[in-house]
Amino acid sequence: MHMEENTLSVLKIAPGQHPQQVEIDNDLKALQQAVGGSIGANYPFEDPVAIVYNDDGKLMGLPLNRALRGENGEMYDAVAGTFLVVGLGEEDFASLSPEMAQKYEQLFHQPEAFLKLGNRLLVLPVPDEPPTEKPRTKPTSEHDR
């Protein structure tokens, strides 16, 4: 017989961070803990996945995290606070398949920053740390010597 999964393998996406694959318990409390409050679920994609987010995130003034875009790439909403991308089972949330995990990791990979311009919201990708910072140990180039 098929048992409900006790733990879910999902993507956890925090503001300003790359998505992380995490295991969480398949119960309401664990989901609420992950998003820091009461949960809402949204099904913006054709794939069998849901976005689980903090339902009061915007009211609580949580930082905006990622834009949700329609078919044409226009942003129609933004998720505030940490959210999860979870799979959809027969009647419950389920683990993401490896393909879905990879697909949505790529979709939400780039952290985004939001700027309010009057009543418009601008979304800017947050660049990864500039690589100029790290390789100080290497000599700049051979012919400088």
Side-chain angles (χ1 to χ4, degrees):
M1 238 180 78
H2 179 68
M3 296 289 294
E4 282 299 312
E5 292 179 273
N6 295 330
T7 59
L8 301 179
S9 175
V10 303
L11 285 179
K12 181 176 183 176
I13 301 169
Q17 294 179 14
H18 295 305
Q20 284 179 305
Q21 221 168 342
V22 297
E23 303 275 328
I24 64 167
D25 289 329
N26 188 6
D27 65 33
L28 188 61
K29 216 162 121 188
L31 292 167
Q32 289 171 334
Q33 270 181 333
V35 301
S38 61
I39 65 169
N42 195 331
Y43 310 93
F45 307 113
E46 293 192 352
D47 295 318
V49 300
I51 287 182
V52 176
Y53 55 92
N54 186 321
D55 216 13
D56 307 318
K58 289 185 182 145
L59 293 173
M60 291 162 64
L62 294 178
L64 292 178
N65 185 344
R66 297 293 202 279
L68 294 178
R69 294 181 171 83
E71 293 289 301
N72 54 4
E74 289 288 308
M75 176 172 89
Y76 62 85
D77 199 5
V79 187
T82 298
F83 67 96
L84 305 172
V85 181
V86 303
L88 290 178
E90 299 280 306
E91 51 215 42
D92 203 0
F93 295 139
S95 288
L96 287 173
S97 69
E99 298 79 31
M100 290 294 133
Q102 192 180 8
K103 177 174 176 178
Y104 288 95
E105 199 286 330
Q106 286 170 350
L107 182 70
F108 291 118
H109 181 74
Q110 201 63 48
E112 292 176 324
F114 295 83
L115 288 181
K116 256 198 154 84
L117 271 192
N119 53 7
R120 289 218 342 243
L121 204 55
L122 280 188
V123 192
L124 305 171
V126 176
D128 291 331
E129 291 303 303
T132 48
E133 290 305 304
K134 293 185 193 106
R136 283 236 175 91
T137 49
K138 285 197 204 127
T140 44
S141 68
E142 291 302 312
H143 61 256
D144 277 2
R145 301 180 186 188

